[in-house]
Amino acid sequence: MLERIGSPADLRGLTYEELAELAAEIRTFLVDNVSRTGGHLGPNLGVVELTIGIHRVFHSPHDSIVFDTGHQAYVHKLLTGRQNFSTLRRRGGLSGYPDRQESVHDIVENSHASTALSWAAGIARGHTLRGESARSTVAVIGDGALTGGMAWEALNSLGASRDRVVVVINDNGRSYAPTIGGLARKLDGIRTDRRYEDFLGWGKRTFERRGRLRNFTYQTVMHAKRALKGLLTDDGVFSDLGLKYIGPIDGHDQRQVERALRQAHEFGEPVIVHVLTDKGRGYSPAEQDVADRFHAVGKIHPETGLPIERSRFGWTSVFADEILAAAEERPDVVALTAAMLAPVGLQPLADAYPDRVIDVGIAEQHAVTSAAGLAYAGLHPVVAVYATFLNRAFDQVLMDVALHRAGVTFMLDRAGITGDDGPSHNGMWDMALLRHVPGLRLAAPRDEATLRQAFREALDVDDAPTVVRYPKGAVGEPLPAARTVGDLEVLAEHGDGPRVIVIGLGSMAATAIAAADKIAAEGIDTLAATATWVHPVPAGLEELVRDAELVVTVEDGLTDAGLGEEWASYARLHGLTAAWAHHGVRREFLQHASRAQLIDDMGLDPSAIAAGTIAQLDAR
């Protein structure tokens, strides 16, 4: 059946019996293919009937369909002609998120959450202003993404509009883990009936604009209607915003889904369709996974769901272990996360001290400012997020934490180049951004020991923000220092008076050692160094580079405005004459590929760095 679907138009002639067969085939396809490549499995298993229904009722790309977040768009890809999943999340293959370069059916590439409703509001208003009144805009948003403040800003705006927007709440009670907070409890209780809206329309037509007495009668009847509705239902959170509401709908009943979507489509103004789905539906290992219903998986055995290769001890696990140990010693240590308790390593702490871990939902701005409040109250908050997600709360870091000299520690997981998840997930912006924050101190540990040490040192700072950044994946071998120069650490030395000094920051320290080895093999005295605390400029830099001819910096953040440039500027201001060369990430969005491929593309491998260094020396 799936092979017969080349575009959404092919769905519209199918019977409901054929659609049920198609849904089963799609689930089998997803399990078979995602188990080979890795990817977001659970969210897509839950939206099969819903996505089929959207494409049967609406006409993409004439009607715009926006997914929030894009990890639930695999079924959408299948139904829009993209059925080769063999290279999913690999260079040259399908992106793990919607991608405009792949299809005219894809609108928003950004996989950060809570943005789709603002996109939809803008698209729909654009259609209205252009006189394209027949075009609808559909935003599919998970209940977890509704915990983000941007979503509510958009709902507030939509409540005052008359544009053709259908907001589909895919309510599976989860983001990664179960959705938390008052919103989750609210959605659990919502019930309504479209007949009330029909009654509202009748009342408006019958009484409105027929004189003062009849207007008064209309208002009285409407107040009575709302009171009755309040007794029987609980959709006030949406109706108070002026939004029409349909639901909740069984998201796995194809007829119910399509009936609700058609009602919303025909209404012609902003409507919320509340759809209940089961994350991981139809795949027993996912359904039985209490943690996150197989939200994202690596390569797994499809029969059992067990990983094919056991992952090595990772950076996140080091942090998880160390914050638990610190919390046992220090009752002032508390942690915050934005709907990613397990992915950032806070689950063990939450298990041991549930009152000392705060999951704010997908609300990074709120997390950062509330951390400043916790610091004011005498605690030491630790905000654990992916590096790319801190971009969303830069203003709060600057104005709420730094301005108020709050002792808040930020642990930035997946910093640097992450690769497979594409341009929105590479954590390459943090160092270039954060170096401009007054008083902020930033660490880039190179191995397990320096991560543990940096975290403990950060906890001792109570008058400024501290940041510790570390990459995705397994921790490498220990890189002990041969000696120290101030706060800089020498990792390898070739010769007595180095012409070249290669400084590798964080995860690039091993690259600096390897590059220095290759340069030295050409008969050039070379030294490899690093620092754990990389901003402000570490003490000892002047002494280390004073007699060098060339200083090479290697970082997995932006080259432009990066830390290498900051260090070079500092050296020049202090009268040092060494030339500098900087290697890092180009100022561009990196398309999905493996980390190794991206490293090679940007010349961040040891061979390329060594070759460039030797060429620069020869040209002097």
Side-chain angles (χ1 to χ4, degrees), residues 375-416:
Y376 177 77
L379 301 173
H380 192 105
V382 178
V383 180
V385 295
Y386 285 1
T388 185
F389 296 145
L390 192 67
N391 302 348
R392 315 183 81 178
F394 176 76
D395 181 70
Q396 285 69 30
V397 173
L398 183 67
M399 293 299 175
D400 294 328
V401 177
L403 176 63
H404 294 87
R405 301 178 64 84
V408 177
T409 294
F410 296 92
M411 302 299 290
L412 303 189
D413 203 325
R414 303 197 180 195

Side-chain angles (χ1 to χ4, degrees), residues 1-11 14 18-19 21-29 32-33 77-84:
M1 184 67 68
L2 182 57
E3 295 177 354
R4 293 167 49 186
I5 308 302
S7 74
D10 296 328
L11 295 168
L14 300 181
E18 290 172 323
L19 291 174
E21 181 182 344
L22 174 63
E25 284 189 22
I26 288 174
R27 288 192 168 91
T28 299
F29 178 97
D32 289 346
N33 282 270
K77 288 177 184 269
L78 286 173
L79 301 179
T80 52
R82 289 167 282 176
Q83 297 182 8
N84 180 5

